[in-house]
Amino acid sequence: MKAVIQRVTKASVTTGRVKVASINDGLLILLGIINEDTQEDITWLSNKIANLRVFGDDQGVMNKSILDINGDAIVVSQFTLHANTKKGNRPSYIKAAKPDVAIPLYEQFVSQLESDLGKRVQTGEFGADMKVELINDGPVTIIIDTKQKG
């Protein structure tokens, strides 16, 4: 699994003309899934995100996690995170898991993150054409790949 995590003061996801998710202070998480991803990846990544210290303390030092600030989260599936641009100018998405594999893993990740955060996690709409709006706070953007955790 690959995640792009952005610290936000505001974020929302719209499909068509319907706003399907909206948060204030928290994290916007773009999630890419491949066929080799497992429950171990889900558990590790969810725990890492829940405890990632990217929010400022009283001295402005990034010492607090989303748990510490009681922040909110939106998870958006994004197969393009696994784009291969090695050959040519048209990215290949062959590594990205197909919906029959990706959807259950995506749903399991959201459920695990809800458990780790102790609150509801908002989501985009899997496979939909979404418009994601955000105000990146900092800016703070972290990329985590569970296949490179060693």
Side-chain angles (χ1 to χ4, degrees), residues 8-15 18-24 28 74 76 122-124 130-135:
V8 298
T9 55
K10 280 188 179 182
S12 66
V13 179
T14 304
T15 60
V18 178
K19 190 175 281 191
V20 297
S22 179
I23 64 170
N24 288 314
L28 172 68
I74 297 177
V76 175
Q122 296 190 49
T123 64
M130 295 174 274
K131 306 300 181 217
V132 179
E133 291 185 79
L134 69 135
I135 298 175

Side-chain angles (χ1 to χ4, degrees), residues 1-142:
M1 284 186 169
K2 191 178 286 188
V4 174
I5 300 129
Q6 297 182 339
R7 184 179 76 183
V8 298
T9 55
K10 280 188 179 182
S12 66
V13 179
T14 304
T15 60
R17 295 179 183 259
V18 178
K19 190 175 281 191
V20 297
S22 179
I23 64 170
N24 288 314
D25 297 324
L27 298 174
L28 172 68
I29 303 156
L30 306 175
L31 184 68
I33 298 169
I34 58 174
N35 288 324
E36 294 79 17
D37 288 330
T38 66
Q39 182 62 48
E40 182 182 328
D41 293 296
I42 291 167
T43 302
W44 184 86
L45 183 59
S46 177
N47 181 267
K48 178 64 84 174
I49 290 171
N51 292 288
L52 198 61
R53 298 185 327 179
V54 294
F55 294 92
D57 62 16
D58 294 338
Q59 286 74 43
V61 177
M62 287 195 283
N63 256 340
K64 292 188 175 187
S65 70
I66 189 171
L67 289 167
D68 296 326
I69 68 154
N70 194 30
D72 293 315
I74 297 177
V75 178
V76 175
S77 90
Q78 189 169 356
F79 73 92
T80 59
L81 292 179
H82 289 290
N84 183 334
T85 58
K86 205 173 203 172
K87 286 174 53 180
N89 293 316
R90 184 171 187 259
S92 167
Y93 304 107
I94 198 159
K95 285 190 71 175
K98 301 285 186 251
D100 62 318
V101 171
I103 291 172
L105 291 172
Y106 172 77
E107 291 172 348
Q108 289 169 16
F109 175 80
V110 171
S111 179
Q112 180 67 54
L113 189 59
E114 287 178 333
S115 179
D116 288 347
L117 296 179
K119 65 179 3 181
R120 182 175 170 269
V121 169
Q122 296 190 49
T123 64
E125 186 177 319
F126 193 97
D129 180 29
M130 295 174 274
K131 306 300 181 217
V132 179
E133 291 185 79
L134 69 135
I135 298 175
N136 189 319
D137 183 23
V140 173
T141 302
I142 309 288

